[in-house]
Amino acid sequence: MAGKVVVLGFWTSMFGERSRIALEEKGVKYVYRQEDLSNKSPLLLQMNPVHKKIPVLIHNGKPVCESLIIVQYIDEVWKDQAASLLPLDPYDRARARFWADLIDKKFHVAGRKIWSIKGEEHEAAKKEFIEILKQLERELGDKPYLGGERFGFLDIALIGFYNYFYVFESRGNLSMEAECPKIVAWANRCLLRESASKSVADPKKV
């Protein structure tokens, strides 16, 4: 489906990067507009009046909001341009959505606690964060990608958090390589893809 595509995002946002990676994987041309989150543009406020946040995908003037919904929209609209990002089997598709939901509701929340709180609560958050990483490692197993043999929806859901690997290490006093070597190796594989390397910010700059 042709038409003008615009992405409203922010350079350190792991959620905003999902939209860009999905579009790159599908070979869709788009315009990227960097938002100033302290002074949100009239376009952002118009296109996402409910949450007033990025990312927003604007396709032919119509907004799609929330990053995982955006990735699924891209997969459906441009289904004939490249392989499906979501698994074709209904059970595998449901499983991918389950893990993506866990990434947003548990991994992201635990990661934020590492750099925002101190003391005993910080240690508890660190323990929870590492346990979630180990759960993701078990899901990865010996597969090259979280979704299996091909890079897809679940990999897109997680790879943007690579932005913050250095933050997790420095604020959490931990080694991502020591705690979750398979996840680090997986991230390095993902970053060999142009779609990810073009979209994911440098952790040291973050």
Side-chain angles (χ1 to χ4, degrees):
M1 179 184 284
K4 185 177 181 181
V5 179
V6 177
V7 174
L8 308 182
F10 185 69
W11 74 281
T12 64
S13 171
M14 67 286 284
F15 302 113
E17 288 165 356
R18 290 171 174 172
S19 310
R20 297 167 63 191
I21 294 170
L23 289 167
E24 293 284 349
E25 285 289 323
K26 290 288 186 175
V28 178
K29 293 183 179 179
Y30 63 97
V31 174
Y32 177 69
R33 294 190 179 179
Q34 174 91 349
E35 282 288 326
D36 178 354
L37 299 184
S38 63
N39 183 26
K40 297 173 183 178
S41 72
L43 181 61
L44 173 59
L45 298 177
Q46 175 191 353
M47 290 294 162
N48 192 357
V50 176
H51 294 301
K52 301 179 177 64
K53 65 181 182 181
I54 58 100
V56 179
L57 176 81
I58 306 171
H59 182 208
N60 290 330
K62 297 179 180 178
V64 182
C65 305
E66 296 298 299
S67 62
L68 293 177
I69 294 173
I70 291 171
V71 173
Q72 292 174 76
Y73 176 85
I74 292 167
D75 201 28
E76 292 174 6
V77 171
W78 289 280
K79 61 183 178 181
D80 298 326
Q81 289 196 204
S84 177
L85 298 173
L86 276 157
L88 299 179
D89 179 79
Y91 177 77
D92 292 340
R93 196 156 58 239
R95 189 173 180 84
R97 287 172 172 147
F98 167 83
W99 283 104
D101 187 64
L102 178 138
I103 288 166
D104 282 3
K105 291 181 178 176
K106 294 192 71 176
F107 179 74
H108 174 56
V109 172
R112 283 184 64 88
K113 287 179 181 177
I114 284 178
W115 71 69
S116 62
I117 61 177
K118 298 179 181 180
E120 291 182 6
E121 289 185 8
H122 181 270
E123 286 303 310
K126 179 178 172 180
K127 183 178 179 181
E128 179 186 7
F129 177 76
I130 292 171
E131 177 53 34
I132 295 169
L133 278 172
K134 293 187 182 300
Q135 288 177 335
L136 289 166
E137 278 205 323
R138 289 192 289 271
E139 175 63 15
L140 175 64
D142 294 323
K143 303 188 299 290
Y145 298 107
L146 284 162
E149 295 300 313
R150 290 192 304 107
F151 180 87
F153 175 75
L154 191 49
D155 303 289
I156 292 172
L158 184 59
I159 189 57
F161 286 90
Y162 179 80
N163 285 357
Y164 289 87
F165 275 21
Y166 181 70
V167 176
F168 296 146
E169 290 186 322
S170 58
R171 296 291 182 88
N173 190 27
L174 59 89
S175 165
M176 295 290 288
E177 182 75 44
E179 297 290 352
C180 51
K182 284 188 175 182
I183 289 293
V184 171
W186 160 84
N188 290 332
R189 272 194 300 277
C190 291
L191 291 169
L192 292 175
R193 302 184 70 84
E194 187 177 5
S195 63
S197 63
K198 286 173 64 174
S199 306
V200 176
D202 183 341
K204 293 293 180 69
K205 290 183 180 179
V206 173

